[in-house]
Amino acid sequence: MSRTPPKSFHVKSFGCQMNVYDGARMAELMQAEGMIEAGADEADLVLLNTCHIREKAAEKVYSDIGRLARRESGKPMIAVAGCVAQAEAAEIPKRAKAVDLVVGPQAYHRLPGLIADAVAGRQAVDTDMPAASKFDALPGRRAGAPSAFLTVQEGCDKFCTYCVVPYTRGAEVSRPWSAVMDEARALVDGGAREITLLGQNVNAWEGEDEKGRTRGLDGLIRALDALPGLKRIRYTTSHPNDMTQGLIAAHADVESLMPFLHLPVQAGSDRILKAMNRAHDVASYLRLIERVRAARPDIAISGDYIVGFPGESDADFEQTLAVVRKVGHAQAFSFKYSPRAGTPAATMADQIAPQVMDERLQRLQALLGEQQLAFNRATIGRTCEILIERSGKLPGQKLGKSPWLQSVLIDGGEIGDLVEVEIASAGPQSLIGERPRRAAA
Ligand code: SAM
Ligand code: SF4
């Protein structure tokens, strides 16, 4: 049975920043097809750009599908994109009959054809990992926001035993130098003043520059630093084993490279790190942090921690707390281990009881929360530049980001402005900034 082609769309992205980037590119593709963006309550097509990293994230999509199927304004065409689509392609149409279209993270450039199939009543499932890059087939970038994401690397060859990324996103691939530079220029022309380079292992990026020289992420950052109009560069997520001396040195001498590093260690016990197949130990991680701090003393260190990996004893967990105390984080993410089908850890003996995980997560998050507040308070009285990204909740209030990625609220200013502020007070989640008197005058 054929149906009316959708005229409007809505993209809802779950999970990581790479999904946010993919969601933005899907939206640009739909716009290039002549469709207009609309709210989830009225759009003809709703794309759920999903995350499969933990069970909770993956399950969210099914409750959303249920809600959309019963939508008051009528059921839209429902597309499941992203990593759940990749991992559960065959099960989705069986489990959720309301789904019209399934597209994996490496195939979304083929959405227009899939939509046409769904309109014609044909099966519309594409989870191929084609050799040709989807990026070549997507329309050019149309930035707009002052801070933009740019995916430079995808996939992962590291196979940590708990993680689905190598299966859902495929092997590690770096986008070519020229493609990245062209996209960065387009973003800056469109008004971006900050670019965050993205990759599952972004610091594994490698490519040939226009002179044919092999360059790492540090080379790319140095070239981007020379782009007129680009004021700030960030990158995430990094793996400790790909943290080169060149990249560390860039933190010392590239002015536009912001003093922030997201460098996950995951756990504080060498025995657990080995079982996780992390290929680094705690001592090497801490040495790395020391070298980064030597290059850029004020750098804000972020990270990821997993509690309750199979076999994690109380003593192992105490070692995780000890690492957190040694590092002193500006912020960090922490998760309960979530068994993922098909990964080696899911079938390991000695899975940890949920209440033990809950208790460990609470203790870890309390410690990380204290560190975040201490880091924020230490910036009180400091003057720094913030990039204003959006309006705040109060009338006239704006929200910007400090160099250390803290949210700073100020009165006045325009979105896209880089303004100097003095940090007047600090809470756990945000800071209050004031224009220094000479700047306000
Ligand atoms: N490539 C990055 C690295 O290795 O540091 C991380 C990318 S991963 C998408 C983001 C984070 O999700 C990981 O650092 C890890 O802490 C967490 N994660 C991945 N698989 C998980 C699982 N099965 N259970 C709980 N957390 C998980
Ligand atoms: Fe997953 Fe990161 Fe490990 Fe790759 S390095 S398998 S993305 S946690």
Side-chain angles (χ1 to χ4, degrees), residues 156 158-160 162-163 165-166 200-201 239 266 278:
C156 183
K158 300 219 162 31
F159 290 94
C160 298
Y162 50 81
C163 184
V165 168
Q200 263 92 23
N201 279 304
H239 191 284
Q266 311 294 357
R278 285 292 291 179

Side-chain angles (χ1 to χ4, degrees), residues 53-54 162 200 237 264 266 278 304 306 335-336 338:
I53 200 88
R54 284 167 291 276
Y162 50 81
Q200 263 92 23
T237 291
Q266 311 294 357
R278 285 292 291 179
D304 291 340
I306 296 177
F335 313 103
K336 282 185 272 187
S338 171

